[in-house]
Amino acid sequence: MQVGIAEARWLLEGGGPMDWVEWDRRVRVEGWYRPGDYGAGFRVLAVLESGSGEALGDEELAVALCHRDGRVRRRALERVVGRAALLPLVAVRCADWAEPVRERARELLVEALDAEAAVRLAPLVLRLADRQRGDFALGLLDQVLRREGPGPLLESGDRPARRFAYRLAVEEGLLPPAGLAWAAALDDDAVVQGLCADAALAATTDAEVVDVLLGARAPRVRAAGVTALRRLGRRERAEEFLADRSGLVRACARYVVRQLGGDPLPWYRARCAEPTPPPGAAVGLAECGERADAELLWPLLDHPEAGVRARAVAGLRVLGVTDVPRMRRLLDDPAPGVVGAATRALLPSAGALSAEWLLRRLDAERPRWERVSAWRLLDAHGKVARLRAAVALLEDGDVRLRARAEQVVRRATGWGTYWPGTYARSEPEVAGLLERGRLLLGALGRRQDTHA
């Protein structure tokens, strides 16, 4: 599709950073105006070439600023002074491959880039920084924001811009430790979380700041707060995180407890012996315990709380203790999380399960998590069982299961990537499965072509 005035109008009204980058590419590669805009295009070229004072609209200049001819781009730049809507394209032209265009665009950006414009252009400039000559605009943005402060960019919805703003704020010391801690606790970006948590703890070990980090949803932020407890000498507080839902936080808590003279293993054993242990206690015991500790975990498979049952299964898997009959019954657990944990624990022993029994569990009437569990176990069971399951699922209504089955059948029939190893193709069952698989794949392809 060729670009034209209508697209330029939409871009100027609300284009995002990548829209400007894509616009620059499309105008240059796909051509100038739509067929109906040819007359306007010739007029713009004539006005720019003659240097007359005839007015040109922002939409017309937005196209001219990206024209494939550098002379047109250079002349268009002389018309953008005072037009804030076109400033994003001035930033784009600062990385232009033609030196006259590039130098003039940089002069204009230096004149126009105040604090408000810097905040507005930051997402685009950060994306242009990857270009060969994109460092100038980035350096100018950095200078302006260091002088004026990042301000609204700290709450920007654009993730790269927010990261840039917080990095600058940390380097310049613009935020107090408490502000950094709250930013780490509330922001949803892992980079901002780590940056602010580390900066807050580097500035202070105040208990209030640490408590903010300990209350964060993100595991890496809680882990930073737990690690800081060592400097505060608060072993009892660290013990509260030994059963955290995050493995990273549990590991940090064990480190702090040991550094402060404690032993987490008796704590875990005591919690797992309680009527209602914290869900993370079971897997925490497995992470630092011995195989003999499995005796404390087996009774938890019948605990009324699904979270405790799932973590107990995970703990037994960590200890390398798997009783196939006892684990198998958990595949019928009403909680999807428990079924998933039992499936992962049984994968190394999938061959000990009946392939026919697993195939029946693929029935469309069963809950999806049970069907996914059966597929994963059949996939680990062996080639023939995997092929049986895959052919059976080629007509299934579950799109994701059908896609997995299709990949298996294509590899087996030699349509896709090479199947490692070989089937005993002389066996009647395998030959029949491969033939049926080819027929079903052909029918599936014809249906897709019809819908396309």
Side-chain angles (χ1 to χ4, degrees):
M1 182 180 69
Q2 288 186 311
V3 291
I5 296 297
E7 289 87 345
R9 188 174 296 116
W10 172 85
L11 182 71
L12 292 167
E13 289 175 356
M18 292 310 299
D19 295 323
W20 291 104
V21 174
E22 180 63 11
W23 171 262
D24 178 47
R25 185 197 67 80
R26 287 181 58 209
V27 174
R28 183 175 68 257
V29 173
E30 297 181 19
W32 227 28
Y33 287 90
R34 288 179 180 273
D37 293 329
Y38 281 150
F42 293 143
R43 184 182 70 83
V44 172
L45 289 175
V47 170
L48 291 175
E49 187 173 355
S50 66
S52 68
E54 184 177 347
L56 292 175
D58 287 350
E59 297 89 350
E60 295 168 317
L61 285 173
V63 181
L65 283 167
C66 302
H67 192 272
R68 66 187 63 179
D69 188 332
R71 292 166 296 185
V72 175
R73 298 195 301 277
R74 175 65 177 80
R75 292 166 187 154
L77 281 170
E78 298 301 331
R79 301 278 188 139
V80 304
V81 177
R83 298 187 189 226
L86 293 173
L87 202 54
L89 288 177
V90 175
V92 172
R93 296 278 67 84
C94 285
D96 201 282
W97 58 93
E99 184 176 359
V101 178
R102 185 171 66 248
E103 294 303 321
R104 181 55 180 150
R106 291 177 175 183
E107 293 173 0
L108 293 171
L109 190 64
V110 170
E111 297 171 2
L113 197 67
D114 54 17
E116 181 180 353
V119 169
R120 183 164 61 93
L121 290 182
L124 173 62
V125 170
L126 289 168
R127 286 161 175 82
L128 293 172
D130 291 334
R131 293 191 174 184
Q132 185 177 358
R133 303 172 184 87
D135 56 340
F136 176 85
L138 180 63
L140 184 60
L141 176 73
D142 185 84
Q143 292 176 18
V144 172
L145 292 178
R146 287 183 188 276
R147 183 177 66 245
E148 304 292 339
L153 279 182
L154 295 173
E155 299 178 2
S156 172
D158 185 79
R159 188 164 292 185
R162 199 164 71 249
R163 292 174 179 176
F164 182 82
Y166 271 109
R167 190 172 290 112
L168 187 148
V170 167
E171 292 175 0
E172 294 294 317
L174 301 178
L175 294 175
L180 290 168
W182 279 111
L186 298 177
D187 202 283
D188 62 356
D189 180 63
V191 174
V192 173
Q193 292 166 3
L195 177 69
C196 292
D198 292 344
L201 293 175
T204 183
T205 54
D206 183 78
E208 293 183 4
V209 171
V210 173
D211 284 340
V212 171
L213 299 177
L214 292 174
R217 289 177 57 89
R220 67 175 299 166
V221 180
R222 291 201 307 280
V226 169
T227 304
L229 292 173
R230 183 179 68 85
R231 286 185 284 172
L232 296 176
R234 299 173 64 185
R235 191 181 84 184
E236 295 78 9
R237 184 75 168 111
E239 287 178 348
E240 297 176 16
F241 293 87
L242 287 173
D244 193 271
R245 60 185 179 273
S246 164
L248 173 63
V249 177
R250 291 194 301 271
C252 291
R254 289 194 293 271
Y255 164 77
V256 172
V257 169
R258 290 185 181 114
Q259 289 293 307
L260 296 178
D263 185 357
L265 188 54
W267 186 95
Y268 280 122
R269 288 170 175 162
R271 297 293 85 72
C272 289
E274 293 177 354
T276 308
V283 69
L285 173 61
E287 288 167 344
C288 66
E290 305 167 351
R291 286 178 64 89
D293 290 313
E295 295 304 317
L296 288 170
L297 300 183
W298 284 117
L300 297 180
L301 298 184
D302 298 313
H303 196 277
E305 292 187 18
V308 175
R309 296 198 302 276
R311 296 300 179 93
V313 174
L316 289 166
R317 183 166 62 91
V318 171
L319 289 173
V321 178
T322 303
D323 185 323
V324 174
R326 296 172 79 173
M327 286 288 185
R328 170 181 154 156
R329 65 183 178 84
L330 293 175
L331 296 178
D332 292 314
D333 195 279
V338 178
V339 175
T343 302
R344 289 188 290 273
L346 285 169
L347 284 175
S349 307
L353 299 171
S354 167
E356 289 72 19
W357 179 75
L358 290 172
L359 278 169
R360 290 195 296 272
R361 296 178 66 82
L362 289 175
D363 188 87
E365 299 300 319
R366 285 186 170 271
R368 187 178 190 278
W369 59 87
E370 291 186 9
R371 303 183 73 218
V372 172
S373 165
W375 165 257
R376 293 184 64 190
L377 291 168
L378 283 164
D379 187 40
H381 200 282
K383 291 182 180 178
V384 176
R386 182 190 300 125
L387 184 60
R388 287 195 202 108
V391 172
L393 289 173
L394 282 180
E395 297 180 292
D396 197 83
D398 189 307
V399 176
R400 294 176 66 183
L401 277 176
R402 190 172 67 243
R404 295 179 188 178
E406 184 180 342
Q407 291 176 355
V408 170
V409 176
R410 287 192 184 280
R411 287 199 298 267
T413 57
W415 288 13
T417 56
Y418 176 71
W419 183 269
T422 58
Y423 285 106
R425 291 176 180 265
S426 59
E427 294 182 9
E429 181 193 6
V430 173
L433 287 171
L434 292 174
E435 181 61 26
R436 178 165 173 74
R438 291 190 188 95
L439 292 173
L440 290 174
L441 287 175
L444 181 62
R446 286 191 294 273
R447 284 200 300 271
Q448 291 174 344
D449 291 341
T450 302
H451 292 311

